[in-house]
């Protein structure tokens, strides 16, 4: 009797669960709806307050001269280690198969139907939207912009004109643009700088050069709504967007306000002052970080090319699969510290093709032997050239770019070498930033002989991928007693 009573109670409770769950879901949906409304009300009030602030007179600030990138006075030819210091040769095994197998691209993710929400442009009357099409580094893209935003014309760049257009942009219709931006940048794996470039290109296509005022207000407005600290300024009599960046950016004019550096577009090279406002956008906005935190996926038909490079070290050519769209994107990347490039997330298709070529030669080796082989590859399989000779300016390479351009230099080799060691050997690597040179150091698990130092409680051994023929643990002769800065990569 007692057992039947317990079973009956359990069955009764289970029968109530679906109704209770539905009640909870309804309650949660109502809460979410109210929370969303409260947030939107707060957002609308913030934009209204900010528009009122924009109407006030702007102040003049002195612009700072662009910081020159650290131009390393690099040698015309690479130094070669003394012959009596070279380690005994490492015999490379033949790969297990006659050819390097390059993995095919992973199958595309299944398409999932997304239920349009109220900000999906499909929810808007077609006659209220203007469609734009453009190329984002060879990937075809399109967006729908509300006509109320596109068709508004500013008379000039006075504060009142800026504030009036900000009021127009603050209408709920701008949220369909944000919705589309979120969809696109997620699909392409764009991190901070990529999101900025998407907004910039959309602004350029929508308004063009003839409507510069609307273009710059639109760009700044969208970035602020996305939580990015950007501000408007008048430079040489024209409106421009100034972007707060977390990292030090080289070769771009900037000004400092409240300990934040605001950078002007790199096309602006000659300017002494800027008129702008002193207040931040009321919603929390933060400087943009240019760290590449996830792999790019800038798609297009035929985007990936296979590159086969003969090797001076290995018996067979090395084969890589590279998305050329990514390399076009990297050309517009700002000039920042070399460690940003070394930490960048890498396209998994390129990465797997790169690492697969090395694995047969590293199989069964000690960590020291693996690192020695990878150093020898950097020494003997790349042509050397200074950035000034190859590009006319400083251009640190992302890992892929080492296989696209004819030559590389010390920072490029250090970036690639650090990636190979971390992903093929599993050891921690740091960059060594000398006044006029970049090298690396590896934290071995065993006690490896040679030049070394302690950092963060770990022992790092110098490994210079530019010092031709040098073994692990040998510092380039001219830098034995030179101080360096350690740039961690993790």
């Amino acid at each position: 009797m007692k057992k039947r009573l317990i079973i009956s109670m359990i069955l009764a409770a289970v029968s109530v669960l679906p109704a209770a769950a539905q009640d909870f879901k309804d309650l949660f949906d109502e809460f979410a709806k109210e929370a969303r409304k409260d947030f939107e009300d707060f957002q609308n009030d913030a934009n209204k307050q900010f528009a009122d602030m924009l109407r006030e007179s702007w102040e003049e600030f002195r612009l700072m001269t662009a910081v020159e990138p650290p131009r390393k006075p690099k040698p015309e030819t690479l130094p070669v280690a003394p012959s009596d210091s070279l380690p005994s040769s490492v015999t490379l095994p033949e790969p297990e198969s006659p050819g390097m197998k390059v993995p095919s691209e992973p199958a595309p993710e299944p398409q999932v139907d997304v239920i349009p929400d109220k900000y999906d442009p499909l929810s808007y009357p077609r006659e209220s939207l203007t469609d734009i099409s453009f190329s984002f580094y060879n990937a075809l893209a399109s967006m729908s912009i509300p006509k109320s935003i596109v068709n508004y014309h500013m008379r000039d760049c006075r504060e009142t004109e800026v504030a009036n257009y900000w009021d127009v942009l603050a209408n709920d219709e701008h949220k369909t643009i944000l919705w589309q931006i979120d969809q696109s940048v997620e699909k392409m794996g764009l991190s901070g700088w990529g999101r900025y470039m998407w907004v910039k290109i959309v602004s350029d296509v929508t308004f063009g050069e003839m409507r510069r005022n609307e273009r710059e207000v639109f760009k700044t407005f969208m970035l602020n709504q996305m939580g990015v600290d950007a501000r408007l300024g008048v430079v040489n009599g024209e409106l421009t967007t100034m972007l707060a960046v977390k990292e030090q950016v080289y070769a771009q004019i900037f000004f400092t306000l409240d300990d934040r550096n605001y950078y002007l577009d790199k096309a602006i090279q000659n300017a002494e002052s800027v008129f702008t406002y002193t207040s931040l956008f009321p919603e929390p906005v933060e400087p943009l970080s240019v760290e590449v935190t996830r792999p790019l996926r800038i798609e297009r038909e035929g985007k990936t090319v296979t590159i086969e490079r003969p090797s001076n070290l290995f018996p067979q050519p090395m084969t890589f699969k590279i998305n050329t769209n990514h390399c076009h994107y990297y050309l517009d990347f700002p000039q920042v510290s070399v460690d940003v490039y070394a930490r960048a997330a890498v396209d998994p298709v390129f990465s797997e093709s790169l690492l697969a070529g090395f694995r047969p030669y590293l199989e069964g080796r000690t960590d020291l032997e693996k690192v020695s082989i990878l150093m020898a590859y950097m020494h003997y399989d790349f042509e050397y050239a200074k950035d000034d000779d190859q590009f006319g300016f400083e251009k640190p390479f992302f890992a892929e770019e080492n296989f696209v351009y004819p030559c590389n230099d010390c920072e490029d080799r250090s970036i690639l070498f650090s990636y190979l060691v971390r992903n093929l050997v599993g050891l921690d690597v740091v960059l060594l930033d000398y006044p006029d040179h970049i090298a690396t150091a590896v934290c071995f698990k065993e006690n490896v002989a040679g030049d070394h130092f302690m950092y963060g409680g770990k022992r790092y051994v110098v490994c210079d991928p530019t010092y031709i023929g040098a073994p692990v643990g040998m510092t380039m002769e001219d830098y034995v007693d030179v101080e360096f800065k350690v740039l961690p990569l993790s």
Side-chain angles (χ1 to χ4, degrees), residues 153-167:
H153 285 259
M154 296 171 60
R155 291 176 292 184
D156 50 47
C157 62
R158 287 178 300 171
E159 295 95 326
T160 53
E161 288 294 307
V162 172
N164 290 342
Y165 190 36
W166 197 279
D167 275 335

Side-chain angles (χ1 to χ4, degrees), residues 429-440:
V429 185
V430 296
L431 301 183
L432 308 183
D433 186 5
Y434 293 93
D436 56 357
H437 181 55
I438 295 286
T440 61

Side-chain angles (χ1 to χ4, degrees), residues 14-48:
V14 169
S15 67
V16 172
L17 280 177
Q22 184 60 46
D23 289 343
F24 178 77
K25 182 179 183 303
D26 291 344
L27 185 63
F28 180 80
D29 289 346
E30 184 63 27
F31 170 78
K33 183 178 178 180
E34 288 295 323
R36 179 68 193 176
K37 183 178 182 304
D38 290 343
F39 175 73
E40 290 181 349
D41 289 344
F42 168 77
Q43 207 172 34
N44 292 338
D45 289 342
N47 277 305
K48 184 179 184 307

Side-chain angles (χ1 to χ4, degrees), residues 88-149:
S88 57
S89 60
V90 177
T91 303
L92 295 173
E94 290 289 335
E96 296 177 357
S97 58
M100 298 294 182
K101 292 184 178 180
V102 180
S104 58
E105 288 193 54
E109 296 180 3
Q111 296 295 316
V112 179
D113 290 330
V114 178
I115 300 174
D117 63 22
K118 66 177 182 177
Y119 300 131
D120 187 325
L122 294 177
S123 304
Y124 288 68
R126 292 308 306 160
E127 63 272 15
S128 69
L129 300 172
T130 295
D131 295 328
I132 62 169
S133 297
F134 55 96
S135 171
F136 187 81
Y137 300 101
N138 293 327
L140 296 180
S142 62
M143 287 187 65
S144 298
I145 313 294
K147 288 183 178 178
S148 62
I149 290 174

